[in-house]
Amino acid sequence: MCQVLLCNAYNVVAAHCAAEYLEMHETIEKGNLIYKVDVFLNSSIFRSWKDSIIVLQTTKSLLPLSEELKLINHCIDAIASKASVDVSKVDWSYTYNRKKLPEENGNDHSWNGVRSRMVPNDWWVEDLCELEIEFYKRVIIAIKTEGIISNEVIGEALKAYAYRKLPGSSKGVVQYNDFSQLRPILDTILYLLPAEKGSVSCSFLLKLLKAAISLNSGEMVKEGLVKRIGQQLEAASVNDLLIRTREGEPTMYDVQIVQKILEEFMMQDRNAKTEIGNENEIQEIRSLGILSEASKLMVAKLIDGYLGEIAKEPSLPLSVFIGIAETVSSFSRPAHDGLYRAIDMYLKVHPEISKSERKRICRLFDCKKLSADACMHAVQNERLPLRVVVQVLFFEQVRAAALSGSSTPDLPKAIKDLNCASYGSSRSATTNADEDWDAVASAAELRALRGDVAALRVGNGVVHERNSGDNKSYSDKAAISKMKGLITSKKIFSKIWSSKSGQAAENSGSDSSESLGSANLDEATSTTTRRGRLSVS
């Protein structure tokens, strides 16, 4: 007969089931085996964190009897109660998966029996990763029911379990042959996720979304993740948003699902403005939109970086790129360098786009919001239309004048005369000049622009036109001649500097619809705080 003294965590469940099968109850003989096993379980096994987990694992091979005897429930309750103990009272060797500390091995002779290190709040997380998914689900539910462990710790536990059970999920790509075995694990993790915003990181949610796409999960699963990610999109990184498509898709990254996430974020912002709080102070803050300004700025920068990555895809349609950029165009941000870099990358990878498409994509960024380094790059960028280069040159000079404290630079006389002259060019000539403005600038034309048309020199409060010299190459002279021919048309120049009322709403960060061509230059540039965007049309 089996003796209780020979029982341990690995065989006690089998002993209990055997005794039950043999009906070794107290009614047959006092102190029978079932009684002794129960005493052993309650006095030893269920008081030990490690043994409780081991016993729970052994119950699987003895189903359904182990379930009928409530051994599984007892193990789960024991584990949940120990996981919920205040960390200051955790005095056992709280995990058997990590490497033991010197004092726990008895090798530290200075140890006085008092734990020298603080027990972390998630001390139990790694040990539970050993459990099968069904047992894990029941244990986490029991821990939640205790109501002591925070949602953040629950989220960390689910993250650790996902990384352990879903191969490659930590990198966002699940690698496994039999997806049917992994889908239940993913579905259970999603079911156990705390509902509170911020309880799990946005990065982890995006990794779960990537896993759901890899495992070809249902639309309901992906939609639920998209909604949760959209609620905390400002915490994501560009790498998190690079979600690969399944094999056979025309593009490398799933841009559509990122658009859905962005739409969820925008929806959240709109809902925040319509919510009614319980306190007047909260109502006032929400009406002013102060609570979401920081997150808007973070999302705008995030999308700028994301556009810079997906712009490298040769098969990415221009309409998709512009659609994503225009979604956050209403988010005011101090600099457009990130957006400019993304646009430049798209132009570099897609040199075949037409003049009108090039003109359309360049409308996305504001010349006045480029840094000095970005301006320096733009004025030498042969991928940009000439009109954009002219604008960058002019506003860089306006900014330089403001920083130097000198008087606001005025337009050269040849250009100023255009503002009072009548339209003299024919329609066909105007059309041809318009096409030249929309064309990309050659290296010689860029030198001509910088040297003779737009590179205004600010010195002692007076603007001088640069002497072109006589030692220019033939190509430079031809470019200068072309540029002078372009600026002789008042109609073309007015189109460069004017801001159409219909385009003001399209341009990101637009706060003013004033036209530089119609407004006095001194008035338009007298303050650096004016953030009106001029059209590049």
Side-chain angles (χ1 to χ4, degrees):
M1 181 179 292
C2 176
Q3 299 295 320
V4 175
L5 293 177
L6 298 179
C7 285
N8 54 46
Y10 295 94
N11 61 21
V12 66
V13 174
H16 196 296
C17 291
E20 185 67 30
Y21 178 77
L22 297 174
E23 298 182 351
M24 301 176 72
H25 302 286
E26 285 294 288
T27 55
I28 303 298
E29 181 181 352
K30 190 173 182 179
N32 215 333
L33 184 57
I34 291 180
Y35 171 77
K36 293 179 179 179
V37 169
D38 285 337
V39 171
F40 178 65
L41 286 170
N42 293 319
S43 62
S44 178
I45 297 297
F46 295 149
R47 292 189 177 186
S48 167
W49 168 257
K50 175 180 176 180
D51 289 344
S52 296
I53 295 175
I54 294 174
V55 170
L56 179 60
Q57 291 173 307
T58 62
T59 59
K60 183 179 179 180
S61 61
L62 294 168
L63 288 170
L65 186 56
S66 58
E67 187 76 74
E68 295 173 359
L69 296 175
K70 300 187 182 301
L71 292 174
I72 295 177
N73 288 339
H74 290 320
C75 289
I76 291 173
D77 291 341
I79 294 171
S81 62
K82 283 202 169 292
S84 302
V85 169
D86 189 280
V87 292
S88 62
K89 299 179 181 179
V90 176
D91 56 0
W92 55 82
S93 180
Y94 56 84
T95 177
Y96 61 90
N97 282 324
R98 64 168 174 79
K99 185 177 180 180
K100 286 189 175 182
L101 301 174
E103 61 264 25
E104 294 172 334
N105 288 324
N107 298 328
D108 188 356
H109 301 290
S110 62
W111 186 53
N112 57 4
V114 180
R115 189 183 301 278
S116 59
R117 289 174 174 82
M118 198 76 164
V119 177
N121 290 327
D122 59 350
W123 62 266
W124 48 271
V125 165
E126 292 293 334
D127 286 348
L128 295 190
C129 290
E130 303 293 329
L131 298 176
E132 296 291 332
I133 186 62
E134 287 302 322
F135 288 155
Y136 184 82
K137 177 181 179 180
R138 294 173 65 175
V139 169
I140 294 297
I141 291 175
I143 292 175
K144 285 184 174 182
T145 304
E146 293 280 341
I148 298 175
I149 301 299
S150 67
N151 289 322
E152 288 75 15
V153 176
I154 297 292
E156 284 299 314
L158 295 172
K159 178 180 177 180
Y161 192 82
Y163 289 173
R164 179 79 67 88
K165 297 297 183 178
L166 299 175
S169 60
S170 60
K171 300 179 180 179
V173 180
V174 177
Q175 301 171 343
Y176 199 72
N177 293 329
D178 190 1
F179 287 164
S180 62
Q181 295 183 13
L182 298 183
R183 286 195 197 101
I185 297 177
L186 178 61
D187 292 344
T188 301
I189 291 172
L190 296 177
Y191 172 79
L192 294 173
L193 284 176
E196 288 74 13
K197 176 183 176 181
S199 56
V200 291
S201 68
C202 188
S203 178
F204 176 51
L205 290 174
L206 279 158
K207 286 183 173 65
L208 291 179
L209 179 58
K210 293 175 183 178
I213 294 174
S214 299
L215 297 175
N216 198 21
S217 298
E219 289 300 318
M220 292 287 291
V221 172
K222 290 183 280 190
E223 287 175 5
L225 282 168
V226 164
K227 185 173 183 179
R228 292 199 59 161
I229 294 167
Q231 293 175 353
Q232 52 191 92
L233 182 58
E234 66 274 13
S237 67
V238 173
N239 188 59
D240 292 333
L241 291 180
L242 296 178
I243 304 171
R244 290 186 175 272
T245 56
R246 294 177 60 83
E247 293 183 4
E249 296 293 332
T251 57
M252 180 185 299
Y253 299 116
D254 193 337
V255 180
Q256 292 183 348
I257 203 161
V258 174
Q259 286 180 301
K260 293 179 181 178
I261 293 172
L262 191 54
E263 290 170 2
E264 284 294 335
F265 177 82
M266 300 293 290
M267 184 66 69
Q268 177 199 18
D269 181 65
R270 287 192 290 268
N271 292 340
K273 292 182 180 180
T274 59
E275 288 179 7
I276 299 177
N278 294 326
E279 299 179 5
N280 293 332
E281 182 179 358
I282 299 298
Q283 292 179 19
E284 182 180 358
I285 291 177
R286 282 183 174 168
S287 64
L288 295 175
I290 296 175
L291 288 177
S292 59
E293 283 304 311
S295 61
K296 284 182 181 181
L297 178 59
M298 294 173 69
V299 169
K301 291 182 177 180
L302 173 68
I303 295 303
D304 289 348
Y306 176 72
L307 288 172
E309 290 298 323
I310 64 173
K312 300 174 184 177
E313 283 204 54
S315 57
L316 181 69
L318 178 66
S319 59
V320 174
F321 182 95
I322 293 178
I324 296 176
E326 288 181 340
T327 303
V328 295
S329 62
S330 61
F331 295 174
S332 178
R333 44 201 189 274
H336 278 197
D337 287 17
L339 183 56
Y340 167 73
R341 284 192 293 268
I343 291 171
D344 182 52
M345 178 59 66
Y346 190 90
L347 295 176
K348 180 179 180 180
V349 178
H350 304 81
E352 73 285 352
I353 65 173
S354 65
K355 293 180 181 179
S356 61
E357 290 174 329
R358 197 177 299 267
K359 175 180 175 182
R360 184 183 173 196
I361 194 174
C362 286
R363 287 176 178 170
L364 294 172
F365 73 91
D366 188 345
C367 298
K368 299 190 297 298
K369 291 190 176 183
L370 296 181
S371 66
D373 291 339
C375 286
M376 184 178 297
H377 183 278
V379 298
Q380 303 176 70
N381 192 342
E382 298 181 14
R383 292 182 283 271
L384 297 178
L386 288 176
R387 67 175 69 245
V388 177
V389 178
V390 171
Q391 283 186 322
V392 173
L393 283 165
F394 176 75
F395 288 119
E396 179 62 17
Q397 292 299 327
V398 171
R399 177 165 53 189
L403 292 176
S404 64
S406 59
S407 61
T408 305
D410 199 2
L411 292 172
K413 184 177 184 302
I415 296 177
K416 187 189 295 183
D417 291 343
L418 297 178
N419 290 327
C420 57
S422 60
Y423 297 108
S425 59
S426 65
R427 181 172 182 180
S428 60
T430 301
T431 302
N432 292 334
D434 193 33
E435 291 178 355
D436 286 336
W437 280 119
D438 291 333
V440 295
S442 66
E445 289 168 346
L446 289 174
R447 287 195 296 271
L449 277 171
R450 291 195 298 272
D452 292 274
V453 179
L456 308 178
R457 298 176 58 194
V458 181
N460 298 324
V462 180
V463 179
H464 303 281
E465 293 188 34
R466 182 175 176 178
N467 184 9
S468 59
D470 298 326
N471 58 347
K472 291 183 172 62
S473 65
Y474 175 79
S475 60
D476 286 350
K477 290 180 179 179
I480 293 171
S481 177
K482 178 180 178 181
M483 296 310 304
K484 288 181 178 179
L486 286 174
I487 65 172
T488 56
S489 170
K490 178 195 173 193
K491 184 174 182 180
I492 298 302
F493 187 78
S494 299
K495 289 184 66 177
I496 296 174
W497 301 114
S498 64
S499 178
K500 299 178 183 178
S501 59
Q503 292 168 349
E506 296 177 1
N507 295 325
S508 60
S510 175
D511 297 316
S512 172
S513 60
E514 279 194 284
S515 168
L516 185 60
S518 61
N520 183 276
L521 183 60
D522 292 336
E523 179 184 349
T525 59
S526 60
T527 173
T528 59
T529 60
R530 180 168 299 180
R531 301 165 66 184
R533 164 97 193 252
L534 296 181
S535 171
V536 259
S537 64

